Amino acid sequence: MTQYKTSVPLLGFAAYSGTGKTTLLEQLLPKLTEAGLTIGLLKHAHHDFDVDKPGKDSYRLRKAGATQMLISSRNRHALMTETPQEEASFEYLLTRFDQTELDVILVEGCKNIAFPKIELHRDELEKPWLHPNDSNIIAVASDSDVDTDLPQININDVDAIAQFVFSYVSNYVSDSVSESHSKIASKSASNAACCDTLSPAFLSVEQGQEKILSTIKPIELIQSISVADSYGSILAEDIVSPINVPQYTNSAMDGYAIRGDDIGQAAYNVVAEVMAGHSFEQELKKGEAVKIMTGAPTPMGADTVIMREQATQNDGQRNQISFTTSDIRAGQNVRQAGEDLAKDQTVFEAGTKIQSAEMGMIASLGFGECRVKRKIRVAIFSTGDEVQAPGTPLKPNSIYDSNRFTLMGLLEKLGCEVVDLGIIEDDKSLMIEAIENAANTCDMVLTSGGVSVGDADYIKLALDKLGHIDFWRINMRPGRPLAYGQINTTPFFGLPGNPVAVMVSFLNFVEPAIRKMQGEANWKPLKVQALAEESLRSRQGRTEFSRGVYSHNEFGQLTVKTTGKQGSGILRSMSEANCLIEITPEVDTVKAGESVTIIPLQGRI
Ligand code: AMP
Ligand code: MG
């Protein structure tokens, strides 16, 4: 077989026209990109094909004589090269790809050129088989069986074809250039370990998040609640100020109010004392001051307040004061009406989460109630024969249910209403009934355990009956298995069983979904950089979330260390942690002293 010089694997799809090569590739590419492959595609077309249309600028410039026409925009660029004499060679065309950016080059057509190919065959076309006469064919995808030693795939089983391509790419060993620089070397190393898991889908953390969020819709139901009960709720409508805050111009200090055009007198006559909640109704004249308390309205004409500590009472003149400072500016220590909030100003937009300050602000505008999104109702239950409710004597071979309680806390923190369905027995019909009920009465259903690939748990059987649920493997640790889908439009999350994995999966996938449902669009957790106090091991190709403790070192820098052993069953590590340390897929080891991303957990768990 001719070896074309590519640093990435090359794989063709050979078939007679009419077999549906393009349609197949169109279905195949999303599966391959989803599995993390970056794909180059070379397609052979008929000699009269053209890229752009008459009238387009690039077309006009080519026709006007540009032999190479490079057109570029924000989203793509294309090089069109005129080759009137002779078609470019296959080998030359391969060099046109930027192979450092690719994991594989797929070729559609070029069936007479010698490079590895999958033969596509459909009986109905009544065309001859290619593989008996082409030693470059490495597999056959067909709708019928054929007598060959080559691997055979059903041409209609796109998953199986994707699986084959993925294994081919993963097992490809390049003999060109040292590959330490290329992303292919590391990718295929990491993919090799997961090529058996293309189906069910193998997703990155971001891909999982995107897929989930694309299906989540903000909840529409609105209720009025008293401000006193509003903590954690999400505003359903803008809060518009009906008043000026402060309502009237007032003193910011306990002290003496004078006129701003009367600064610098040796002494002032104190003509009144104004307490908060009262007022002095006359205009203040030059030479006069009023004794004024914080929050009390400044009298007409008085626009400057000097604090009490800078005033002395003149001996024998009880009603006369002088100031001990010469540093007095007109207008000082006075809060103007409407200075904090002007009447009709939008104070909070719909979607704002009400926390302590918001509660106070809303009350400060005079509202006793506010319109909020109805709390998201989340059903939770545990499954598994070994899982036992706390508060009962522990049976042999059992563990107490911790996940349900962790989830209760996490959901409460997000302002959800928890519907606790307890532990559901491993009985298919009971489970179907429980999940169906939950989906009909709640906004989201969460379970933990029983979603690993190969797990025989009943939850899978039940879910199969109920809706469209995907069993994913997320390229992350902990928390690889994740089931997600809809039971009659109600989002369902099947979280992993391990207690730490439950929390990490919740933080990564469930929390953003709940926040979106609550109307908080594009929420992202806070991430900051910290110096690793110890070496952190990870594996390339997956996102590693270690439990970390961050603090400040003697130089004031943010540093982080792990909580120690990182087993996904060690819930204590989550309790000791104040952050997750996130190591992204490209990185395999973080050395002590290097910078690493941390996700603080305060306020989230
Ligand atoms: P599974 O994914 O069902 O195989 O569960 C993985 C691990 O998590 C097993 O060791 C289970 O015993 C454990 N596990 C499953 N559900 C719970 C739960 N509700 N509370 C605590 N541990 C659990
Ligand atoms: Mg289980």
Side-chain angles (χ1 to χ4, degrees):
M1 196 182 294
T2 315
Q3 180 73 56
Y4 286 98
K5 277 205 180 56
T6 53
S7 57
V8 297
L10 184 63
L11 183 62
F13 291 81
Y16 286 94
S17 61
T19 317
K21 290 191 293 276
T22 306
T23 306
L24 174 69
L25 281 165
E26 201 183 4
Q27 294 166 350
L28 192 60
L29 292 185
K31 295 187 186 288
L32 298 174
T33 54
E34 202 163 85
L37 297 184
T38 309
I39 291 166
L41 213 143
L42 174 57
K43 179 183 165 68
H44 191 254
H46 296 289
H47 64 275
D48 57 357
F49 104 102
D50 217 336
V51 177
D52 48 7
K53 294 196 188 80
K56 289 278 170 202
D57 291 358
S58 56
Y59 184 94
R60 291 165 55 199
L61 296 169
R62 268 192 308 129
K63 296 301 166 188
T67 297
Q68 293 188 15
M69 169 76 220
L70 181 59
I71 180 161
S72 154
S73 76
R74 162 66 190 78
N75 292 321
R76 65 190 61 82
H77 59 256
L79 176 61
M80 293 168 252
T81 306
E82 303 298 316
T83 55
Q85 260 73 40
E86 195 181 10
E87 182 171 354
S89 73
F90 184 68
E91 190 162 12
Y92 173 79
L93 291 172
L94 293 176
T95 66
R96 301 297 85 197
F97 285 100
D98 180 1
Q99 296 182 19
T100 60
E101 290 297 321
L102 297 178
D103 295 313
V104 61
I105 297 174
L106 301 179
V107 182
E108 181 185 344
C110 308
K111 72 171 179 288
N112 300 324
I113 297 172
F115 69 100
K117 278 169 258 177
I118 300 176
E119 175 176 6
L120 306 180
H121 181 95
R122 287 190 195 275
D123 265 355
E124 62 201 304
L125 292 179
E126 296 180 0
K127 295 284 186 194
W129 289 92
L130 300 171
H131 65 269
N133 301 312
D134 187 347
S135 62
N136 297 295
I137 288 175
I138 59 166
V140 174
S142 157
D143 54 0
S144 65
D145 276 347
V146 57
D147 186 17
T148 174
D149 291 330
L150 293 172
Q152 294 193 46
I153 317 168
N154 181 341
I155 193 168
N156 297 316
D157 187 348
V158 182
D159 276 328
I161 300 173
Q163 174 89 59
F164 182 89
V165 175
F166 199 81
S167 306
Y168 177 79
V169 173
S170 302
N171 297 326
Y172 176 80
V173 183
S174 168
D175 55 4
S176 62
V177 281
S178 141
E179 294 229 343
S180 54
H181 68 283
S182 90
K183 68 188 262 228
I184 301 99
S186 60
K187 262 236 178 135
S188 47
S190 67
N191 286 344
C194 63
C195 61
D196 60 329
T197 54
L198 189 66
S199 180
F202 211 105
L203 305 179
S204 69
V205 175
E206 290 74 22
Q207 285 171 328
Q209 287 167 341
E210 279 165 21
K211 275 177 174 283
I212 290 167
L213 288 179
S214 70
T215 66
I216 297 282
K217 292 187 189 61
I219 192 160
E220 300 294 347
L221 294 170
I222 291 174
Q223 62 183 150
S224 287
I225 52 171
S226 76
V227 177
D229 296 328
S230 69
Y231 186 86
S233 295
I234 308 290
L235 279 176
E237 291 167 1
D238 292 355
I239 296 269
V240 176
S241 181
I243 53 170
N244 276 322
V245 178
Q247 190 192 345
Y248 47 89
T249 302
N250 66 81
S251 174
M253 294 271 175
D254 288 348
Y256 293 89
I258 59 167
R259 298 178 64 98
D261 57 4
D262 191 28
I263 296 169
Q265 304 281 4
Y268 297 83
N269 283 326
V270 181
V271 294
E273 188 164 329
V274 196
M275 312 290 275
H278 300 269
S279 63
F280 177 65
E281 297 297 346
Q282 294 157 37
E283 181 167 3
L284 202 68
K285 297 194 203 61
K286 288 199 174 179
E288 290 180 347
V290 292
K291 189 172 183 186
I292 195 163
M293 301 300 144
T294 306
T298 45
M300 244 185 309
D303 59 2
T304 303
V305 171
I306 298 96
M307 61 178 173
R308 188 148 60 186
E309 292 80 349
Q310 293 176 334
T312 53
Q313 228 159 51
N314 295 349
D315 290 341
Q317 301 275 355
R318 257 192 42 137
N319 288 331
Q320 218 179 59
I321 48 142
S322 298
F323 298 122
T324 56
T325 175
S326 56
D327 181 20
I328 300 171
R329 282 163 296 108
Q332 71 176 30
N333 299 331
V334 168
R335 297 187 286 224
Q336 300 297 325
E339 172 183 299
D340 294 349
L341 299 170
K343 185 168 183 290
D344 298 328
Q345 182 183 336
T346 300
V347 182
F348 297 121
E349 285 180 8
T352 303
K353 186 168 202 151
I354 303 177
Q355 300 184 90
S356 317
E358 288 75 19
M359 286 174 78
M361 290 272 286
I362 294 169
S364 77
L365 302 176
F367 295 113
E369 292 199 329
C370 50
R371 306 268 291 157
V372 297
K373 294 277 174 75
R374 197 205 69 208
K375 279 195 172 186
I376 307 261
R377 205 172 283 146
V378 184
I380 54 171
F381 63 91
S382 299
T383 66
D385 279 345
E386 79 281 26
V387 180
Q388 192 189 325
T392 54
L394 191 60
K395 292 183 227 143
N397 310 318
S398 295
I399 52 160
Y400 283 125
D401 182 1
S402 60
N403 291 343
R404 204 159 32 99
F405 298 87
T406 311
L407 290 173
M408 285 177 199
L410 288 163
L411 290 167
E412 183 143 322
K413 196 83 217 177
L414 285 169
C416 298
E417 181 186 329
V418 178
V419 177
D420 178 13
L421 300 182
I423 300 167
I424 300 188
E425 226 178 287
D426 264 351
D427 173 298
K428 193 170 146 191
S429 56
L430 277 182
M431 205 167 268
I432 290 180
E433 197 185 311
I435 301 176
E436 207 162 25
N437 261 330
N440 288 337
T441 53
C442 297
D443 305 307
M444 183 183 278
V445 180
L446 297 183
T447 67
S448 62
V451 293
S452 307
V453 175
D455 241 344
D457 298 49
Y458 285 84
I459 181 119
K460 273 195 176 163
L461 301 173
L463 292 173
D464 257 358
K465 287 270 169 298
L466 282 172
H468 181 78
I469 310 289
D470 287 318
F471 288 83
W472 292 336
R473 316 204 101 198
I474 307 284
N475 257 327
M476 67 187 260
R477 192 175 74 171
R480 185 156 80 148
L482 179 71
Y484 179 72
Q486 259 100 9
I487 303 168
N488 312 321
T489 77
T490 304
F492 171 92
F493 285 88
L495 301 174
N498 276 311
V500 180
V502 166
M503 294 191 77
V504 173
S505 300
F506 184 99
L507 293 169
N508 274 292
F509 303 107
V510 185
E511 180 171 353
I514 288 179
R515 288 182 183 265
K516 183 169 178 192
M517 269 187 143
Q518 290 171 330
E520 203 175 343
N522 303 320
W523 176 83
K524 293 259 181 329
L526 172 69
K527 294 185 182 186
V528 287
Q529 297 295 307
L531 298 178
E533 285 181 48
E534 58 190 289
S535 292
L536 303 166
R537 275 210 287 165
S538 171
R539 201 179 76 187
Q540 260 187 353
R542 77 175 170 210
T543 307
E544 199 93 19
F545 292 101
S546 308
R547 273 68 70 206
V549 180
Y550 70 78
S551 52
H552 285 95
N553 67 12
E554 53 186 343
F555 308 108
Q557 295 163 311
L558 198 58
T559 63
V560 67
K561 60 180 183 214
T562 68
T563 54
K565 273 177 82 176
Q566 295 289 309
S568 64
I570 309 173
L571 192 51
R572 194 186 172 75
S573 69
M574 216 50 216
S575 162
E576 287 167 351
N578 61 8
C579 66
L580 291 177
I581 305 170
E582 180 191 50
I583 305 178
T584 48
E586 322 77 71
V587 180
D588 65 352
T589 307
V590 175
K591 296 193 194 70
E594 287 180 350
S595 173
V596 70
T597 301
I598 64 167
I599 305 173
L601 292 174
Q602 276 94 341
R604 293 184 68 196
I605 62 170

